[in-house]
Amino acid sequence: MVKITDVARRAGVSPSTVSYALSGKRPISDATRRRVQDAVRELGYRPHAGARSPAGRRSKVLALAVPLRSGVHVPVVTRFAVSVATAARAHDHDVLLLTQGEGEEGIRRVADAGLADAVVVMDVQLQDPRLPLLRSLSLPSVLIGVPAEPDGLTCVDLDFRAAGELCVDHLAGLGHRVVALVGSPPEVYVRRTAFARRLVQGFTSAADRHRIASTVHPCGTGRDAARAVAERLLREQPALTGVVVHNEPLLDPLIDAFERLGLRVPGDLSLTAVCPAPVAASARIPVTSVAVPSAELGTRAVHLLVQKLSGTPVPQRTLLPPRLTERASTAARAAA
DNA sequence: AAGTAAGGCGAGTAGGATCC
DNA sequence: GGATCCTACTCGCCTTACTT
């Protein structure tokens, strides 16, 4: 962390002159002010919010780096944010939201300015550009999501690979022999978002294990996208009878699209989803789903952070096992 | 057990020294 | 003697150590 004394040394003045130059509370020559401003810029100095507090005191604030990028379903993100905030309050902390637009810069700003004691990081990519920074900072962090190389980090997530497998196992158990995954929007895969990639891996490997035909279709949101993907699925896989959806806002539009094409759910087509349980339960036809336990993940993340702040060793990786809840959208494959 | 003092540390500031 | 800059101190306030 760059301190006012570092700026003073670089500018060739005393710390007090830096303070006056920046606050304007005393006249400082233009030349000196310029030297101070140059030093501030060169060193990347930011005043430390906790500077007036005794050493070791904490802000009682947790930062939450929240994804609000394209392809991210805001209501799901909100569930995570609420669970983190609720768990944080239970540990006498408040939550500071960092929008993803700031990326690494937002995390660095929070760390340098002492604005938060620790940070929860969401929307983790397999090769996430924030990881080197998180490893180098003294600011404790917990990732909701598991990157390709989690060494030196603390991660918690649903076991999305197992979730993908569980959906296929369920469909295969009902006799379905041709299945498709309707996934998240394409940009989520382009970003190599960890959970989406792992779900695809689990889906594909389980289909191979059961020796059933499978395809994967990233899909945007909205009725037009649902209609387009439904038409494409039936065109390319006429024998399709099982669909896994990993795209929360697409559930109802997709059910509608299949029905418009003359397919009944679950009579002709069984549908499972990986999404928060309330989303699946409140669909027009309640959908059999593997729950994304947003509340539990948020709570776990905060609990891990609190343990880290207290110096208690924590596991590097916590993967919650998937649980499938049967609802009205799946049934045994109809006899041909 | 209860009360008191010290310590920690970066930023801010009053008073005064220095310079031209 | 005004402008500029520095020294030495204060502030914040909880935890820890020490004293009563």
Side-chain angles (χ1 to χ4, degrees):
Chain A
M1 185 181 76
V2 179
K3 297 181 289 190
I4 197 170
T5 49
D6 300 319
V7 176
R9 198 177 306 117
R10 171 69 69 99
V13 298
S14 71
S16 64
T17 301
V18 174
S19 176
Y20 283 126
L22 297 178
S23 70
K25 290 183 177 177
R26 269 201 179 182
I28 297 291
S29 68
D30 287 345
T32 301
R33 178 177 289 109
R34 267 198 298 277
R35 285 209 312 279
V36 169
Q37 289 170 338
D38 287 348
V40 165
R41 197 167 44 251
E42 289 165 14
L43 297 175
Y45 166 74
R46 294 186 188 88
H48 193 277
R52 300 189 131 214
S53 301
R57 260 188 73 211
R58 297 202 172 133
S59 63
K60 292 285 186 180
V61 171
L62 302 181
L64 174 61
V66 183
L68 291 175
R69 304 190 282 206
S70 64
V72 168
H73 189 41
V74 173
V76 172
V77 171
T78 304
R79 288 176 200 276
F80 279 100
V82 168
S83 69
V84 168
T86 303
R89 276 314 308 151
H91 290 283
D92 195 27
H93 280 71
D94 287 300
V95 169
L96 170 68
L97 285 182
L98 292 175
T99 58
Q100 202 69 27
E102 295 185 285
E104 300 153 78
E105 178 55 28
I107 295 172
R108 188 182 295 282
R109 181 168 53 81
V110 164
D112 286 354
L115 294 173
D117 299 333
V119 59
V120 178
V121 178
M122 292 180 61
D123 198 32
V124 175
Q125 298 157 39
L126 287 176
Q127 274 79 37
D128 200 299
R130 297 168 294 184
L131 302 187
L133 175 65
L134 291 171
R135 286 193 179 95
S136 68
L137 289 175
S138 58
L139 186 75
S141 60
V142 168
L143 281 61
I144 298 181
V146 184
E149 293 175 11
D151 291 352
L153 300 165
T154 306
C155 310
V156 59
D157 205 359
L158 172 69
D159 188 341
F160 275 92
R161 184 183 171 96
E165 291 179 357
L166 188 54
C167 287
V168 175
D169 290 346
H170 177 67
L171 292 171
L174 291 170
H176 299 280
R177 307 304 302 164
V178 180
V179 298
L181 169 65
V182 176
S184 301
E187 55 265 39
V188 172
Y189 298 96
V190 170
R191 286 200 297 266
R192 296 174 59 77
T193 306
F195 71 90
R197 291 272 186 152
R198 290 214 169 82
L199 185 91
V200 170
Q201 290 169 359
F203 170 84
T204 304
S205 71
D208 291 348
R209 174 162 43 82
H210 288 288
R211 300 181 186 282
I212 63 180
S214 70
T215 54
V216 176
H217 302 264
C219 185
T221 57
R223 301 206 165 269
D224 290 346
R227 193 179 310 123
V229 78
E231 289 173 353
R232 185 176 165 200
L233 283 171
L234 297 186
R235 191 171 60 245
E236 295 179 0
Q237 295 172 278
L240 178 74
T241 61
V243 174
V244 178
V245 182
H246 186 208
N247 188 324
E248 293 85 4
L250 206 66
L251 279 182
D252 276 334
L254 198 58
I255 292 171
D256 291 345
F258 282 128
E259 289 186 343
R260 282 208 182 84
L261 291 168
L263 295 175
R264 291 166 298 129
V265 175
D268 301 308
L269 202 66
S270 282
L271 210 70
T272 70
V274 179
C275 65
V279 175
S282 64
R284 188 163 62 72
I285 298 173
V287 174
T288 295
S289 72
V290 169
V292 175
S294 45
E296 185 175 358
L297 286 171
T299 303
R300 290 267 193 140
V302 170
H303 186 63
L304 287 166
L305 271 185
V306 170
Q307 284 185 295
K308 291 179 83 168
L309 286 170
S310 68
T312 306
V314 298
Q316 180 174 290
R317 178 161 28 176
T318 305
L319 284 181
L320 304 185
R323 285 194 295 272
L324 184 137
T325 301
E326 285 193 60
R327 298 193 180 86
S329 67
T330 49
R333 182 168 69 108

Short mmCIF file of all heavy atoms in Angstrom, two decimals, chain A residues 104-163:
data_model
loop_
_atom_site.label_atom_id
_atom_site.label_comp_id
_atom_site.label_asym_id
_atom_site.label_seq_id
_atom_site.Cartn_x
_atom_site.Cartn_y
_atom_site.Cartn_z
N GLU A 104 -10.82 -5.72 -11.88
CA GLU A 104 -9.73 -5.75 -10.90
C GLU A 104 -9.58 -4.41 -10.19
O GLU A 104 -9.22 -4.37 -9.01
CB GLU A 104 -8.42 -6.08 -11.62
CG GLU A 104 -8.42 -7.41 -12.32
CD GLU A 104 -7.46 -7.42 -13.48
OE1 GLU A 104 -6.25 -7.54 -13.23
OE2 GLU A 104 -7.91 -7.30 -14.63
N GLU A 105 -9.85 -3.34 -10.92
CA GLU A 105 -9.63 -2.01 -10.36
C GLU A 105 -10.49 -1.79 -9.11
O GLU A 105 -10.05 -1.21 -8.13
CB GLU A 105 -9.94 -0.94 -11.41
CG GLU A 105 -9.79 0.49 -10.92
CD GLU A 105 -8.41 0.77 -10.34
OE1 GLU A 105 -7.43 0.11 -10.74
OE2 GLU A 105 -8.32 1.64 -9.46
N GLY A 106 -11.73 -2.29 -9.15
CA GLY A 106 -12.62 -2.12 -8.01
C GLY A 106 -12.08 -2.84 -6.78
O GLY A 106 -12.11 -2.31 -5.67
N ILE A 107 -11.60 -4.05 -6.98
CA ILE A 107 -11.05 -4.83 -5.86
C ILE A 107 -9.80 -4.16 -5.32
O ILE A 107 -9.60 -4.03 -4.11
CB ILE A 107 -10.74 -6.27 -6.31
CG1 ILE A 107 -12.05 -6.97 -6.67
CG2 ILE A 107 -10.01 -7.04 -5.23
CD1 ILE A 107 -11.86 -8.32 -7.32
N ARG A 108 -8.96 -3.67 -6.22
CA ARG A 108 -7.73 -3.00 -5.78
C ARG A 108 -8.07 -1.72 -5.00
O ARG A 108 -7.45 -1.42 -3.98
CB ARG A 108 -6.86 -2.65 -6.99
CG ARG A 108 -5.49 -2.12 -6.61
CD ARG A 108 -4.70 -1.74 -7.83
NE ARG A 108 -4.36 -2.85 -8.68
CZ ARG A 108 -3.36 -3.71 -8.42
NH1 ARG A 108 -2.63 -3.56 -7.34
NH2 ARG A 108 -3.11 -4.69 -9.24
N ARG A 109 -9.06 -1.00 -5.46
CA ARG A 109 -9.45 0.24 -4.79
C ARG A 109 -9.94 -0.05 -3.37
O ARG A 109 -9.56 0.63 -2.41
CB ARG A 109 -10.56 0.93 -5.59
CG ARG A 109 -11.05 2.24 -5.04
CD ARG A 109 -11.92 2.94 -6.07
NE ARG A 109 -13.01 2.11 -6.56
CZ ARG A 109 -14.15 1.93 -5.92
NH1 ARG A 109 -14.36 2.54 -4.77
NH2 ARG A 109 -15.09 1.15 -6.40
N VAL A 110 -10.75 -1.08 -3.23
CA VAL A 110 -11.27 -1.45 -1.91
C VAL A 110 -10.14 -1.87 -0.99
O VAL A 110 -10.09 -1.49 0.19
CB VAL A 110 -12.30 -2.60 -2.06
CG1 VAL A 110 -12.56 -3.26 -0.73
CG2 VAL A 110 -13.59 -2.05 -2.62
N ALA A 111 -9.19 -2.62 -1.54
CA ALA A 111 -8.06 -3.10 -0.72
C ALA A 111 -7.17 -1.94 -0.30
O ALA A 111 -6.83 -1.80 0.89
CB ALA A 111 -7.26 -4.14 -1.50
N ASP A 112 -6.81 -1.09 -1.24
CA ASP A 112 -5.89 0.00 -0.94
C ASP A 112 -6.49 1.01 0.04
O ASP A 112 -5.80 1.54 0.90
CB ASP A 112 -5.50 0.75 -2.24
CG ASP A 112 -4.53 -0.05 -3.08
OD1 ASP A 112 -4.09 -1.11 -2.60
OD2 ASP A 112 -4.23 0.37 -4.21
N ALA A 113 -7.77 1.28 -0.12
CA ALA A 113 -8.42 2.30 0.70
C ALA A 113 -8.92 1.74 2.03
O ALA A 113 -9.46 2.48 2.84
CB ALA A 113 -9.56 2.95 -0.07
N GLY A 114 -8.75 0.44 2.23
CA GLY A 114 -9.20 -0.16 3.48
C GLY A 114 -10.71 -0.07 3.67
O GLY A 114 -11.20 0.02 4.78
N LEU A 115 -11.44 -0.09 2.55
CA LEU A 115 -12.89 0.09 2.63
C LEU A 115 -13.59 -1.17 3.13
O LEU A 115 -14.72 -1.09 3.60
CB LEU A 115 -13.44 0.46 1.24
CG LEU A 115 -13.01 1.82 0.69
CD1 LEU A 115 -13.48 1.98 -0.75
CD2 LEU A 115 -13.57 2.93 1.57
N ALA A 116 -12.94 -2.32 2.97
CA ALA A 116 -13.59 -3.57 3.40
C ALA A 116 -12.54 -4.49 4.02
O ALA A 116 -11.35 -4.37 3.75
CB ALA A 116 -14.25 -4.26 2.20
N ASP A 117 -13.03 -5.40 4.88
CA ASP A 117 -12.13 -6.36 5.53
C ASP A 117 -11.82 -7.55 4.63
O ASP A 117 -10.80 -8.23 4.81
CB ASP A 117 -12.77 -6.89 6.82
CG ASP A 117 -13.04 -5.77 7.81
OD1 ASP A 117 -12.32 -4.76 7.75
OD2 ASP A 117 -13.96 -5.91 8.63
N ALA A 118 -12.73 -7.84 3.69
CA ALA A 118 -12.59 -9.03 2.86
C ALA A 118 -13.52 -8.89 1.67
O ALA A 118 -14.37 -7.99 1.64
CB ALA A 118 -12.94 -10.28 3.68
N VAL A 119 -13.37 -9.79 0.71
CA VAL A 119 -14.18 -9.67 -0.50
C VAL A 119 -14.71 -11.03 -0.95
O VAL A 119 -14.00 -12.04 -0.89
CB VAL A 119 -13.38 -8.99 -1.64
CG1 VAL A 119 -12.13 -9.77 -1.99
CG2 VAL A 119 -14.23 -8.80 -2.89
N VAL A 120 -15.98 -11.05 -1.35
CA VAL A 120 -16.59 -12.22 -1.99
C VAL A 120 -16.62 -11.95 -3.49
O VAL A 120 -17.10 -10.90 -3.92
CB VAL A 120 -18.03 -12.45 -1.47
CG1 VAL A 120 -18.67 -13.64 -2.19
CG2 VAL A 120 -18.05 -12.67 0.03
N VAL A 121 -16.11 -12.89 -4.26
CA VAL A 121 -16.00 -12.69 -5.71
C VAL A 121 -16.93 -13.66 -6.43
O VAL A 121 -16.87 -14.87 -6.20
CB VAL A 121 -14.55 -12.91 -6.18
CG1 VAL A 121 -14.45 -12.75 -7.68
CG2 VAL A 121 -13.63 -11.92 -5.47
N MET A 122 -17.78 -13.11 -7.29
CA MET A 122 -18.72 -13.96 -8.04
C MET A 122 -18.37 -13.96 -9.52
O MET A 122 -17.50 -13.23 -9.97
CB MET A 122 -20.15 -13.45 -7.83
CG MET A 122 -20.66 -13.63 -6.41
SD MET A 122 -22.35 -13.02 -6.24
CE MET A 122 -23.23 -14.07 -7.40
N ASP A 123 -19.10 -14.77 -10.29
CA ASP A 123 -18.94 -14.87 -11.74
C ASP A 123 -17.49 -15.20 -12.10
O ASP A 123 -16.85 -14.50 -12.88
CB ASP A 123 -19.36 -13.57 -12.42
CG ASP A 123 -19.62 -13.79 -13.92
OD1 ASP A 123 -20.06 -14.88 -14.27
OD2 ASP A 123 -19.37 -12.87 -14.71
N VAL A 124 -17.01 -16.28 -11.51
CA VAL A 124 -15.60 -16.67 -11.68
C VAL A 124 -15.41 -17.38 -13.02
O VAL A 124 -16.20 -18.27 -13.38
CB VAL A 124 -15.17 -17.60 -10.52
CG1 VAL A 124 -13.77 -18.10 -10.73
CG2 VAL A 124 -15.30 -16.85 -9.20
N GLN A 125 -14.40 -16.95 -13.74
CA GLN A 125 -14.07 -17.59 -15.01
C GLN A 125 -12.94 -18.59 -14.80
O GLN A 125 -12.19 -18.50 -13.82
CB GLN A 125 -13.66 -16.53 -16.03
CG GLN A 125 -14.77 -15.54 -16.34
CD GLN A 125 -14.25 -14.23 -16.87
OE1 GLN A 125 -13.31 -14.21 -17.65
NE2 GLN A 125 -14.85 -13.14 -16.44
N LEU A 126 -12.82 -19.54 -15.74
CA LEU A 126 -11.79 -20.57 -15.59
C LEU A 126 -10.41 -19.94 -15.48
O LEU A 126 -9.61 -20.29 -14.63
CB LEU A 126 -11.85 -21.56 -16.76
CG LEU A 126 -13.05 -22.52 -16.74
CD1 LEU A 126 -13.07 -23.38 -17.99
CD2 LEU A 126 -13.03 -23.40 -15.49
N GLN A 127 -10.12 -18.99 -16.39
CA GLN A 127 -8.87 -18.21 -16.29
C GLN A 127 -9.25 -16.78 -15.96
O GLN A 127 -9.29 -15.92 -16.84
CB GLN A 127 -8.07 -18.28 -17.60
CG GLN A 127 -7.14 -19.47 -17.73
CD GLN A 127 -7.87 -20.74 -18.13
OE1 GLN A 127 -8.80 -20.70 -18.91
NE2 GLN A 127 -7.44 -21.87 -17.59
N ASP A 128 -9.55 -16.55 -14.72
CA ASP A 128 -10.09 -15.24 -14.34
C ASP A 128 -8.96 -14.23 -14.15
O ASP A 128 -8.00 -14.48 -13.42
CB ASP A 128 -10.88 -15.39 -13.02
CG ASP A 128 -11.85 -14.25 -12.80
OD1 ASP A 128 -11.38 -13.11 -12.71
OD2 ASP A 128 -13.05 -14.50 -12.76
N PRO A 129 -9.07 -13.06 -14.81
CA PRO A 129 -7.98 -12.07 -14.71
C PRO A 129 -7.83 -11.48 -13.32
O PRO A 129 -6.81 -10.86 -13.02
CB PRO A 129 -8.41 -10.99 -15.72
CG PRO A 129 -9.87 -11.16 -15.89
CD PRO A 129 -10.16 -12.63 -15.70
N ARG A 130 -8.82 -11.72 -12.45
CA ARG A 130 -8.73 -11.15 -11.09
C ARG A 130 -7.90 -12.02 -10.15
O ARG A 130 -7.54 -11.58 -9.06
CB ARG A 130 -10.14 -10.99 -10.51
CG ARG A 130 -11.02 -10.02 -11.28
CD ARG A 130 -12.47 -10.10 -10.86
NE ARG A 130 -13.07 -11.39 -11.20
CZ ARG A 130 -14.34 -11.70 -11.00
NH1 ARG A 130 -15.14 -10.80 -10.47
NH2 ARG A 130 -14.81 -12.87 -11.33
N LEU A 131 -7.62 -13.25 -10.58
CA LEU A 131 -6.98 -14.19 -9.64
C LEU A 131 -5.59 -13.77 -9.19
O LEU A 131 -5.29 -13.85 -7.99
CB LEU A 131 -6.95 -15.59 -10.24
CG LEU A 131 -8.33 -16.17 -10.60
CD1 LEU A 131 -8.19 -17.62 -11.02
CD2 LEU A 131 -9.32 -16.02 -9.46
N PRO A 132 -4.70 -13.32 -10.09
CA PRO A 132 -3.37 -12.90 -9.61
C PRO A 132 -3.46 -11.80 -8.56
O PRO A 132 -2.73 -11.81 -7.56
CB PRO A 132 -2.68 -12.40 -10.88
CG PRO A 132 -3.39 -13.10 -12.00
CD PRO A 132 -4.81 -13.24 -11.55
N LEU A 133 -4.39 -10.87 -8.77
CA LEU A 133 -4.57 -9.79 -7.80
C LEU A 133 -5.04 -10.34 -6.47
O LEU A 133 -4.51 -9.99 -5.40
CB LEU A 133 -5.58 -8.77 -8.35
CG LEU A 133 -5.96 -7.64 -7.39
CD1 LEU A 133 -4.75 -6.76 -7.11
CD2 LEU A 133 -7.08 -6.79 -7.98
N LEU A 134 -6.03 -11.24 -6.51
CA LEU A 134 -6.57 -11.80 -5.27
C LEU A 134 -5.50 -12.57 -4.50
O LEU A 134 -5.46 -12.54 -3.28
CB LEU A 134 -7.76 -12.72 -5.57
CG LEU A 134 -9.02 -12.00 -6.08
CD1 LEU A 134 -10.05 -13.02 -6.55
CD2 LEU A 134 -9.61 -11.09 -5.01
N ARG A 135 -4.62 -13.24 -5.26
CA ARG A 135 -3.55 -13.99 -4.59
C ARG A 135 -2.53 -13.07 -3.94
O ARG A 135 -1.93 -13.40 -2.92
CB ARG A 135 -2.84 -14.91 -5.59
CG ARG A 135 -3.65 -16.12 -6.00
CD ARG A 135 -2.77 -17.12 -6.74
NE ARG A 135 -3.52 -18.31 -7.13
CZ ARG A 135 -4.09 -18.48 -8.32
NH1 ARG A 135 -3.98 -17.56 -9.23
NH2 ARG A 135 -4.77 -19.58 -8.58
N SER A 136 -2.33 -11.90 -4.54
CA SER A 136 -1.27 -11.02 -4.07
C SER A 136 -1.73 -10.10 -2.94
O SER A 136 -0.90 -9.60 -2.17
CB SER A 136 -0.74 -10.17 -5.23
OG SER A 136 -1.73 -9.24 -5.66
N LEU A 137 -3.03 -9.89 -2.83
CA LEU A 137 -3.53 -8.94 -1.83
C LEU A 137 -3.52 -9.56 -0.43
O LEU A 137 -3.65 -10.77 -0.27
CB LEU A 137 -4.97 -8.53 -2.16
CG LEU A 137 -5.17 -7.63 -3.37
CD1 LEU A 137 -6.66 -7.42 -3.60
CD2 LEU A 137 -4.48 -6.29 -3.17
N SER A 138 -3.40 -8.70 0.57
CA SER A 138 -3.55 -9.17 1.94
C SER A 138 -5.03 -9.25 2.30
O SER A 138 -5.39 -9.77 3.36
CB SER A 138 -2.82 -8.23 2.90
OG SER A 138 -3.33 -6.92 2.76
N LEU A 139 -5.88 -8.73 1.45
CA LEU A 139 -7.34 -8.75 1.67
C LEU A 139 -7.86 -10.18 1.49
O LEU A 139 -7.77 -10.74 0.41
CB LEU A 139 -8.01 -7.82 0.66
CG LEU A 139 -9.50 -7.57 0.80
CD1 LEU A 139 -9.76 -6.62 1.98
CD2 LEU A 139 -10.06 -6.96 -0.48
N PRO A 140 -8.42 -10.77 2.56
CA PRO A 140 -8.95 -12.13 2.41
C PRO A 140 -10.09 -12.17 1.39
O PRO A 140 -10.85 -11.20 1.28
CB PRO A 140 -9.48 -12.47 3.81
CG PRO A 140 -8.80 -11.52 4.72
CD PRO A 140 -8.58 -10.27 3.92
N SER A 141 -10.19 -13.28 0.66
CA SER A 141 -11.25 -13.38 -0.34
C SER A 141 -11.80 -14.80 -0.37
O SER A 141 -11.13 -15.75 0.02
CB SER A 141 -10.70 -13.02 -1.73
OG SER A 141 -9.65 -13.91 -2.09
N VAL A 142 -13.05 -14.90 -0.81
CA VAL A 142 -13.67 -16.19 -1.10
C VAL A 142 -14.36 -16.07 -2.45
O VAL A 142 -15.05 -15.08 -2.72
CB VAL A 142 -14.69 -16.59 -0.01
CG1 VAL A 142 -15.53 -17.77 -0.47
CG2 VAL A 142 -13.97 -16.96 1.28
N LEU A 143 -14.14 -17.06 -3.30
CA LEU A 143 -14.76 -17.08 -4.62
C LEU A 143 -16.02 -17.94 -4.58
O LEU A 143 -15.98 -19.05 -4.06
CB LEU A 143 -13.79 -17.64 -5.66
CG LEU A 143 -12.69 -16.74 -6.21
CD1 LEU A 143 -11.77 -16.27 -5.10
CD2 LEU A 143 -11.91 -17.46 -7.30
N ILE A 144 -17.11 -17.42 -5.12
CA ILE A 144 -18.27 -18.28 -5.38
C ILE A 144 -18.10 -18.73 -6.82
O ILE A 144 -18.44 -18.03 -7.76
CB ILE A 144 -19.60 -17.54 -5.15
CG1 ILE A 144 -19.72 -17.10 -3.69
CG2 ILE A 144 -20.77 -18.44 -5.54
CD1 ILE A 144 -21.01 -16.37 -3.36
N GLY A 145 -17.51 -19.90 -6.97
CA GLY A 145 -17.11 -20.39 -8.29
C GLY A 145 -15.70 -20.93 -8.17
O GLY A 145 -14.96 -20.53 -7.27
N VAL A 146 -15.34 -21.85 -9.05
CA VAL A 146 -14.03 -22.50 -8.96
C VAL A 146 -13.29 -22.31 -10.29
O VAL A 146 -13.74 -22.82 -11.32
CB VAL A 146 -14.16 -24.00 -8.66
CG1 VAL A 146 -12.80 -24.64 -8.49
CG2 VAL A 146 -15.01 -24.22 -7.40
N PRO A 147 -12.19 -21.58 -10.29
CA PRO A 147 -11.42 -21.41 -11.52
C PRO A 147 -10.66 -22.68 -11.87
O PRO A 147 -10.63 -23.64 -11.09
CB PRO A 147 -10.46 -20.26 -11.17
CG PRO A 147 -10.26 -20.39 -9.70
CD PRO A 147 -11.56 -20.90 -9.15
N ALA A 148 -10.01 -22.67 -13.02
CA ALA A 148 -9.27 -23.86 -13.47
C ALA A 148 -8.14 -24.19 -12.49
O ALA A 148 -7.88 -25.36 -12.23
CB ALA A 148 -8.74 -23.63 -14.88
N GLU A 149 -7.48 -23.15 -11.98
CA GLU A 149 -6.37 -23.38 -11.05
C GLU A 149 -6.65 -22.62 -9.75
O GLU A 149 -6.28 -21.46 -9.61
CB GLU A 149 -5.06 -22.92 -11.69
CG GLU A 149 -4.67 -23.78 -12.87
CD GLU A 149 -3.43 -23.25 -13.58
OE1 GLU A 149 -2.77 -22.34 -13.04
OE2 GLU A 149 -3.15 -23.74 -14.69
N PRO A 150 -7.29 -23.31 -8.80
CA PRO A 150 -7.71 -22.62 -7.57
C PRO A 150 -6.64 -22.55 -6.49
O PRO A 150 -6.94 -22.17 -5.36
CB PRO A 150 -8.90 -23.46 -7.11
CG PRO A 150 -8.60 -24.83 -7.61
CD PRO A 150 -7.79 -24.68 -8.87
N ASP A 151 -5.39 -22.91 -6.83
CA ASP A 151 -4.34 -22.92 -5.80
C ASP A 151 -4.23 -21.56 -5.12
O ASP A 151 -4.21 -20.52 -5.76
CB ASP A 151 -2.98 -23.27 -6.43
CG ASP A 151 -2.96 -24.71 -6.90
OD1 ASP A 151 -3.93 -25.43 -6.59
OD2 ASP A 151 -2.00 -25.10 -7.57
N GLY A 152 -4.16 -21.61 -3.80
CA GLY A 152 -3.97 -20.37 -3.04
C GLY A 152 -5.23 -19.56 -2.86
O GLY A 152 -5.19 -18.45 -2.33
N LEU A 153 -6.36 -20.10 -3.29
CA LEU A 153 -7.63 -19.37 -3.18
C LEU A 153 -8.62 -20.19 -2.37
O LEU A 153 -8.42 -21.38 -2.16
CB LEU A 153 -8.20 -19.09 -4.56
CG LEU A 153 -7.32 -18.26 -5.49
CD1 LEU A 153 -7.82 -18.36 -6.92
CD2 LEU A 153 -7.29 -16.80 -5.03
N THR A 154 -9.67 -19.55 -1.92
CA THR A 154 -10.75 -20.25 -1.22
C THR A 154 -12.00 -20.17 -2.10
O THR A 154 -12.43 -19.08 -2.43
CB THR A 154 -11.03 -19.61 0.15
OG1 THR A 154 -9.81 -19.55 0.89
CG2 THR A 154 -12.05 -20.41 0.93
N CYS A 155 -12.53 -21.34 -2.46
CA CYS A 155 -13.65 -21.37 -3.39
C CYS A 155 -14.82 -22.16 -2.80
O CYS A 155 -14.60 -23.16 -2.11
CB CYS A 155 -13.26 -22.04 -4.70
SG CYS A 155 -11.75 -21.40 -5.43
N VAL A 156 -16.02 -21.71 -3.11
CA VAL A 156 -17.22 -22.47 -2.73
C VAL A 156 -18.18 -22.41 -3.91
O VAL A 156 -18.30 -21.38 -4.57
CB VAL A 156 -17.86 -21.90 -1.44
CG1 VAL A 156 -18.24 -20.44 -1.60
CG2 VAL A 156 -19.08 -22.72 -1.04
N ASP A 157 -18.81 -23.53 -4.19
CA ASP A 157 -19.75 -23.54 -5.32
C ASP A 157 -20.59 -24.81 -5.28
O ASP A 157 -20.25 -25.77 -4.57
CB ASP A 157 -18.97 -23.49 -6.64
CG ASP A 157 -19.82 -22.89 -7.78
OD1 ASP A 157 -20.99 -22.55 -7.53
OD2 ASP A 157 -19.30 -22.77 -8.90
N LEU A 158 -21.67 -24.79 -6.05
CA LEU A 158 -22.38 -26.04 -6.32
C LEU A 158 -21.47 -26.87 -7.23
O LEU A 158 -20.76 -26.32 -8.08
CB LEU A 158 -23.70 -25.73 -7.03
CG LEU A 158 -24.48 -26.94 -7.56
CD1 LEU A 158 -25.04 -27.77 -6.41
CD2 LEU A 158 -25.62 -26.49 -8.47
N ASP A 159 -21.50 -28.17 -7.08
CA ASP A 159 -20.75 -29.04 -7.98
C ASP A 159 -21.52 -29.11 -9.30
O ASP A 159 -22.37 -29.98 -9.50
CB ASP A 159 -20.58 -30.43 -7.36
CG ASP A 159 -19.64 -31.31 -8.17
OD1 ASP A 159 -19.42 -31.00 -9.36
OD2 ASP A 159 -19.14 -32.30 -7.60
N PHE A 160 -21.21 -28.14 -10.18
CA PHE A 160 -21.99 -28.02 -11.42
C PHE A 160 -21.77 -29.21 -12.36
O PHE A 160 -22.66 -29.59 -13.12
CB PHE A 160 -21.68 -26.70 -12.12
CG PHE A 160 -22.50 -25.57 -11.60
CD1 PHE A 160 -22.03 -24.77 -10.57
CD2 PHE A 160 -23.75 -25.30 -12.14
CE1 PHE A 160 -22.79 -23.73 -10.08
CE2 PHE A 160 -24.53 -24.25 -11.66
CZ PHE A 160 -24.05 -23.46 -10.63
N ARG A 161 -20.56 -29.77 -12.31
CA ARG A 161 -20.32 -30.96 -13.15
C ARG A 161 -21.25 -32.10 -12.72
O ARG A 161 -21.92 -32.73 -13.54
CB ARG A 161 -18.86 -31.38 -13.04
CG ARG A 161 -18.52 -32.53 -13.95
CD ARG A 161 -17.09 -33.01 -13.80
NE ARG A 161 -16.92 -34.24 -14.54
CZ ARG A 161 -16.44 -34.32 -15.77
NH1 ARG A 161 -16.05 -33.24 -16.40
NH2 ARG A 161 -16.35 -35.48 -16.39
N ALA A 162 -21.32 -32.30 -11.40
CA ALA A 162 -22.21 -33.35 -10.88
C ALA A 162 -23.67 -33.00 -11.15
O ALA A 162 -24.49 -33.89 -11.36
CB ALA A 162 -21.96 -33.54 -9.38
N ALA A 163 -23.98 -31.71 -11.16
CA ALA A 163 -25.37 -31.29 -11.43
C ALA A 163 -25.76 -31.65 -12.86
O ALA A 163 -26.86 -32.15 -13.11
CB ALA A 163 -25.50 -29.78 -11.20
#
